[in-house]
């Protein structure tokens, strides 16, 4: 009897796993296809409109610029944190992670207060760096929200590179900078590409922080997600869903590239607000 | 000459203490010691990866410690070879050449490729090479810059026995043809014996004996070294004229000027002891009757343990063992010369 009972429990347990998987898969596919079914047929027509074209251009411009900035900052920081031990390293890592833990909309409020209400913000604005309700603000918001993610990816990429390879390069007559470009960077290529793609995709979908800092002004600070938000609010479902469809496509492609690059041990949560 | 003077370094669990070494130009020097005694740290200090906590490092009276790794002329070969995975063999070897490859440099490169027999591997990537092949590439990469010192960190320990033997011979060949001062680290005594001009034995972060392979092999200065070089029979006793009286009263004849009443160790190599069923007529002064306690088949040799008041290990060949037809508990005679007993 005992044996029989164990057998039944095994079957129940296996079934639970299968049911949970099937349920989740169906749920995800159904939700996404709801958007695609309505978005795809109107996609071509929507792309013809000036508003969507503006949103596409602005999204690409801001996301590419902010990704570039993220790379410029994250490569040296990630390398330093991965390679060197120094006092306060834990604290620095924790501070760098903060924007990742915050909901983007809160980050946006923080940035808005910093650049909109302080003399520091005013000083920057007077000198051509106006972030509040501007395209520069979108870029800054994307940068602020995404930098912890790319740092995580690159830190783990650099950690995976055997420091003795760099050391051998030193003994072969190259200084640390030359070694970085001749050995470390080529070996970090996959991680860099993966980081780049995921950061770019996240920047393209960034909404909350950009909304707070740059606002949602039609044809001025209207990126694809802002366009989705504006058009859904005003009841223009066609344009809204076209924007959503494009974001879905871009996200799926970048997810594929990310998986293909063999970097899948990172947290790549896309927190939506 | 490379000189290490009073080096101290603590690094995690490793502790180097009072390291003093002089490695002559063109010498093949081996540091021998069990795993985890900080041998690699010595190499990394010489190469400039770490600074010593104390002490100095000179190469031909130039203060090496003031130089950056890229300014010192050392070649480094790691245990797992550390080849650049993103470069093929050719690019790996050429990595240390900063100028255009032509003329003398090209000749040197080609002769190294020939010497190490890697011409057929040049287009391949490190991940497709066997351990022995990777090792030869790593050595070529280190030698191409004509280093003042070649540092080899356990270069043979991850290879299979056959490859290891071949590479040992190649290391000798390379050293004979290039005469590069070489510092080689290993935990394998036989490897050290085969390769070294001189050996330093390390234990617990200290160098406890330096000497030629023969000196280390036959006249170890401590129980640790005696054990490490396979002395097997090591006993404590008191020196009394030309005898050592062991703790249990057994008297062993030795050849040494008297240092009366001194506490000493004696060590007898198991291959220097004769076994016989009857008392041998021999000039050897140490003859003891004993009982065979146990036998261990070690392949080419048998290790027999005999109780003569102390337990003594003896090696005999397969053939002699079969001819003598021993059984456990048999009475047997143990004979060795006074000169076969090393006192320290």
């Amino acid at each position: 009897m005992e044996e029989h009972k164990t057998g039944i429990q095994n079957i129940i347990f296996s079934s639970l796993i299968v049911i949970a998987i099937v349920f989740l898969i169906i749920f995800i596919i159904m939700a996404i296809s709801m958007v695609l079914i309505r978005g795809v047929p109107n996609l071509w027509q929507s792309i013809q409109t000036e508003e969507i074209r503006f949103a596409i251009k602005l999204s690409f411009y801001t996301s590419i610029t902010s990704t570039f900035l993220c790379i410029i900052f994250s490569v040296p920081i990630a390398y330093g944190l991965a390679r060197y031990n120094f006092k306060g390293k834990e604290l620095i890592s924790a501070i760098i992670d903060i924007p990742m833990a915050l909901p983007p909309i809160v980050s946006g409020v923080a940035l808005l207060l910093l650049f909109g209400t302080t003399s520091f913000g005013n000083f920057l604005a007077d000198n051509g760096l106006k972030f509040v309700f501007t395209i520069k603000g979108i870029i800054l918001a994307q940068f602020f929200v995404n930098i912890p993610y790319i740092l995580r990816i690159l830190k783990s990429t650099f950690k995976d590179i055997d420091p003795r390879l760099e050391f051998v390069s030193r003994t072969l007559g190259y200084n640390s900078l030359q070694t970085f470009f001749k050995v470390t960077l080529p070996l970090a290529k996959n991680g860099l590409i993966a980081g780049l793609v995921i950061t770019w995709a996240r920047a393209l979908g960034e909404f909350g922080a950009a909304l707070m800092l740059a606002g949602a002004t039609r044809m001025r600070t209207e990126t694809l997600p802002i366009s989705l938000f504006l058009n859904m609010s005003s009841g223009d479902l066609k344009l809204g869903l076209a924007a959503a469809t494009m974001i879905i496509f871009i996200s799926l492609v970048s997810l594929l590239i990310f998986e293909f690059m063999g970097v899948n041990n990172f947290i790549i949560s896309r927190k939506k607000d | 000459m490379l000189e290490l003077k009073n080096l101290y370094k603590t690094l995690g669990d490793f502790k180097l203490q009072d390291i003093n070494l002089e490695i002559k130009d063109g010498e093949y020097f081996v540091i021998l010691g069990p795993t985890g005694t900080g041998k690699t740290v010595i190499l990394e200090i010489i190469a400039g990866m770490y600074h010593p906590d104390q002490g100095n490092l000179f190469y031909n009276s130039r203060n090496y410690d003031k130089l950056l790794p890229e300014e010192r002329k050392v070649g480094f070969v790691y245990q797992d070879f550390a080849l650049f995975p993103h470069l093929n063999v050719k690019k790996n070897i050429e990595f240390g050449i900063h100028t255009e490859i032509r003329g003398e440099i090209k000749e040197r490169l080609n002769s190294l490729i020939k010497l190490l027999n890697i011409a057929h591997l040049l287009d391949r990537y490190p991940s497709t090479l066997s351990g022995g092949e990777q090792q030869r590439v790593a050595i070529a990469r280190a030698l191409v810059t004509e280093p003042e010192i070649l540092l080899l960190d356990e270069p043979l320990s991850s290879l299979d026995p056959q490859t290891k033997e071949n590479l040992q011979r190649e290391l000798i060949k390379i050293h004979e043809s290039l005469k590069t001062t070489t510092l080689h680290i290993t935990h394998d005594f036989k490897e050290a014996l085969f390769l070294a001009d001189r050996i330093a034995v390390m234990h617990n972060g200290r160098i406890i004996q330096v000497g030629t392979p023969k000196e280390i092999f036959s006249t170890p200065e401590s129980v640790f070294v005696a054990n490490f070089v396979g002395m097997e029979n090591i006993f404590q006793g008191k020196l009394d004229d030309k005898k050592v009286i062991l703790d249990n009263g057994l008297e062993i004849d030795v050849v040494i000027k008297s240092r009366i009443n001194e506490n000493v160790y004696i060590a007898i190599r198991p291959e220097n002891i004769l076994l016989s069923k009857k008392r041998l007529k021999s000039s050897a002064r140490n003859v003891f009757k004993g009982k065979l306690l146990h036998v261990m088949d070690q392949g080419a040799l048998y290790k027999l343990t005999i109780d003569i008041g102390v337990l003594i290990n003896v090696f005999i060949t397969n053939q002699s063992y079969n001819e003598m037809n021993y059984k456990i508990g048999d009475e047997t005679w143990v004979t060795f010369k006074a000169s076969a007993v090393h006192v320290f």
Side-chain angles (χ1 to χ4, degrees):
Chain A
M1 271 322 273
E2 200 49 42
E3 243 171 65
H4 186 60
K5 201 175 158 193
T6 315
I8 287 178
Q9 283 178 344
N10 282 342
I11 291 168
I12 291 174
F13 187 59
S14 310
S15 313
L16 267 176
I17 295 175
V18 172
I19 290 167
I21 292 174
V22 168
F23 180 78
L24 187 64
I25 295 284
I26 290 175
F27 176 52
I28 292 172
I29 289 178
M30 268 172 58
I32 292 175
S33 35
M34 283 303 118
V35 178
L36 295 182
I37 286 167
R38 293 177 206 203
V40 171
N42 298 320
L43 193 58
W44 185 243
Q45 197 193 342
S46 308
I47 290 175
Q48 308 291 331
T49 67
E50 208 185 335
E51 188 185 338
I52 289 292
R53 260 197 273 178
F54 177 88
I56 293 174
K57 274 190 222 157
L58 185 63
S59 273
F60 273 77
Y61 170 68
T62 53
S63 60
I64 289 169
T65 312
S66 74
T67 303
F68 179 73
L69 286 175
C70 280
I71 291 278
I72 298 280
F73 275 84
S74 61
V75 167
I77 295 173
Y79 186 78
L81 291 175
R83 266 301 173 273
Y84 304 117
N85 281 315
F86 47 87
K87 257 196 181 153
K89 184 171 149 177
E90 306 287 312
L91 184 68
I92 291 172
S93 291
I95 292 172
I96 285 171
D97 276 345
I98 292 176
M100 191 161 68
L102 294 181
I105 197 157
V106 175
S107 297
V109 170
L111 291 173
L112 180 64
L113 292 180
L114 176 63
F115 292 104
T117 63
T118 63
S119 47
F120 168 69
N122 292 336
F123 170 77
L124 289 181
D126 292 344
N127 288 284
L129 283 174
K130 193 171 183 305
F131 292 111
V132 180
F133 303 130
T134 65
I135 290 170
K136 286 196 189 78
I138 302 174
I139 295 169
L140 188 73
Q142 292 172 350
F143 172 82
F144 188 81
V145 170
N146 282 337
I147 190 87
Y149 287 88
I150 187 155
L151 270 172
R152 264 197 178 207
I153 295 172
L154 291 188
K155 214 161 79 181
S156 132
T157 302
F158 288 135
K159 263 193 187 151
D160 280 349
I161 297 171
D162 188 347
R164 295 176 316 157
L165 292 173
E166 295 169 352
F167 186 64
V168 167
S169 163
R170 298 287 302 273
T171 66
L172 291 169
Y174 295 96
N175 64 35
S176 49
L177 189 71
Q178 291 168 321
T179 294
F180 183 77
F181 283 107
K182 280 187 78 87
V183 177
T184 318
L185 218 47
L187 289 175
K189 196 180 74 190
N190 278 10
L192 264 172
I193 294 174
L196 208 115
V197 169
I198 208 74
T199 305
W200 175 68
R202 288 182 49 86
L204 209 96
E206 168 47 38
F207 175 70
L211 177 73
M212 275 295 138
L213 184 60
T217 318
R218 224 178 265 274
M219 299 294 285
R220 268 200 60 205
T221 57
E222 187 179 357
T223 58
L224 283 173
I226 299 277
S227 174
L228 165 64
F229 168 72
L230 288 173
N231 286 310
M232 292 301 280
S233 316
S234 62
D236 195 341
L237 236 61
K238 262 190 202 169
L239 287 187
L241 290 175
T245 303
M246 268 179 278
I247 295 173
I248 289 175
F249 280 146
I250 291 166
S251 303
L252 288 181
V253 169
S254 62
L255 186 67
L256 277 178
I257 297 175
F258 193 80
E259 292 287 332
F260 181 73
M261 284 298 157
V263 196
N264 31 28
N265 309 324
F266 308 111
I267 303 159
I268 46 168
S269 76
R270 294 182 49 110
K271 224 179 272 164
K272 286 284 165 218
D273 12 27
Chain B
M1 189 167 66
L2 177 72
E3 284 172 276
L4 281 66
K5 285 190 176 165
N6 312 102
L7 282 192
Y8 285 80
K9 177 78 190 174
T10 305
L11 196 76
D13 290 340
F14 291 118
K15 210 175 210 159
L16 290 182
Q17 286 176 301
D18 198 21
I19 302 292
N20 286 286
L21 281 180
E22 286 185 2
I23 298 158
K24 298 175 195 129
D25 287 339
E27 195 171 25
Y28 201 115
F29 196 97
V30 173
I31 297 180
L32 175 70
T35 321
T37 46
K39 299 179 306 252
T40 305
V41 180
I42 295 187
L43 292 194
E44 289 175 333
I45 286 175
I46 294 172
M49 196 170 194
Y50 303 112
H51 284 289
D53 297 338
Q54 254 184 70
N56 290 300
L57 192 65
F58 295 100
Y59 183 78
N60 289 342
S61 54
R62 213 164 81 231
N63 192 344
Y64 239 42
D65 203 39
K66 294 264 189 291
L67 300 178
L68 294 166
E70 58 266 32
E71 294 167 333
R72 307 177 188 200
K73 297 189 79 181
V74 301
F76 208 116
V77 176
Y78 274 108
Q79 182 175 358
D80 56 0
F81 325 127
L83 294 176
F84 301 122
H86 62 300
L87 302 176
N88 66 18
V89 168
K90 188 166 183 287
K91 292 262 170 60
N92 261 285
I93 301 172
E94 290 171 356
F95 193 86
I97 303 171
H98 296 232
T99 56
E100 210 183 315
I101 298 168
R102 59 193 171 117
E104 193 202 329
I105 296 172
K106 189 162 186 174
E107 268 171 43
R108 190 166 80 226
L109 192 67
N110 287 335
S111 69
L112 260 180
I113 288 169
K114 211 174 143 194
L115 182 66
L116 283 148
N117 191 23
I118 46 177
H120 59 295
L121 304 174
L122 292 178
D123 293 327
R124 290 180 41 195
Y125 279 83
S127 59
T128 70
L129 304 180
S130 72
E133 288 168 340
Q134 287 190 47
Q135 183 60 277
R136 298 208 298 268
V137 174
I139 292 170
R141 180 180 64 180
L143 284 172
V144 85
T145 55
E146 297 194 300
E148 290 167 344
I149 312 145
L150 178 63
L151 304 172
L152 306 172
D153 179 15
E154 303 247 4
L156 305 173
S157 62
S158 58
L159 305 174
D160 63 87
Q162 187 59 47
T163 314
K164 183 172 168 167
E165 217 179 296
N166 294 339
L167 262 167
Q168 279 185 356
R169 271 192 227 103
E170 276 192 59
L171 281 174
I172 287 199
K173 192 178 82 182
I174 294 162
H175 188 247
E176 274 170 0
S177 84
L178 300 178
K179 296 269 178 270
T180 311
T181 310
T182 305
L183 182 53
H184 175 130
I185 273 177
T186 183
H187 60 259
D188 181 348
F189 178 68
K190 284 184 204 141
E191 192 179 310
L193 206 59
F194 187 77
L195 291 165
D197 293 324
R198 283 194 303 147
I199 296 173
V201 184
M202 269 191 85
H203 182 47
N204 287 337
R206 286 177 185 276
I207 287 176
I208 51 173
Q209 191 174 353
V210 180
T212 63
K214 191 170 184 305
E215 283 166 353
I216 304 277
F217 189 69
S218 45
T219 56
E221 288 164 4
S222 57
V223 174
F224 176 79
V225 178
N227 268 318
F228 207 77
V229 300
M231 276 289 199
E232 300 266 349
N233 303 303
I234 302 161
F235 307 108
Q236 203 174 7
K238 260 200 171 65
L239 192 64
D240 183 7
D241 201 13
K242 284 178 179 164
K243 278 189 174 63
V244 172
I245 301 156
L246 302 189
D247 294 347
N248 67 349
L250 205 67
E251 291 184 10
I252 311 266
D253 280 20
V254 299
V255 183
I256 194 164
K257 300 262 184 298
S258 55
R259 292 183 300 187
I260 289 172
N261 271 339
E262 214 175 309
N263 281 317
V264 292
Y265 284 95
I266 62 164
I268 312 147
R269 297 206 71 87
E271 59 271 32
N272 291 341
I273 300 171
L274 284 174
L275 269 191
S276 54
K277 289 219 156 173
K278 293 207 172 74
R279 193 184 170 113
L280 286 181
K281 277 182 190 152
S282 133
S283 62
R285 281 185 295 173
N286 291 302
V287 182
F288 301 95
K289 195 161 90 170
K291 220 163 100 182
L292 179 63
L293 273 192
H294 58 84
V295 177
M296 192 194 271
D297 185 353
Q298 295 194 325
L301 295 172
Y302 276 84
K303 179 160 132 183
L304 276 56
T305 307
I306 322 284
D307 185 359
I308 59 166
V310 290
L311 298 185
I312 199 153
N313 289 320
V314 182
F315 283 152
I316 63 173
T317 61
N318 243 321
Q319 200 182 353
S320 346
Y321 179 74
N322 290 332
E323 278 169 8
M324 288 171 99
N325 195 21
Y326 272 123
K327 282 182 199 65
I328 304 291
D330 278 4
E331 194 171 88
T332 180
W333 288 84
V334 168
T335 310
F336 51 92
K337 291 181 177 171
S339 61
V341 184
H342 169 57
V343 183
F344 57 100

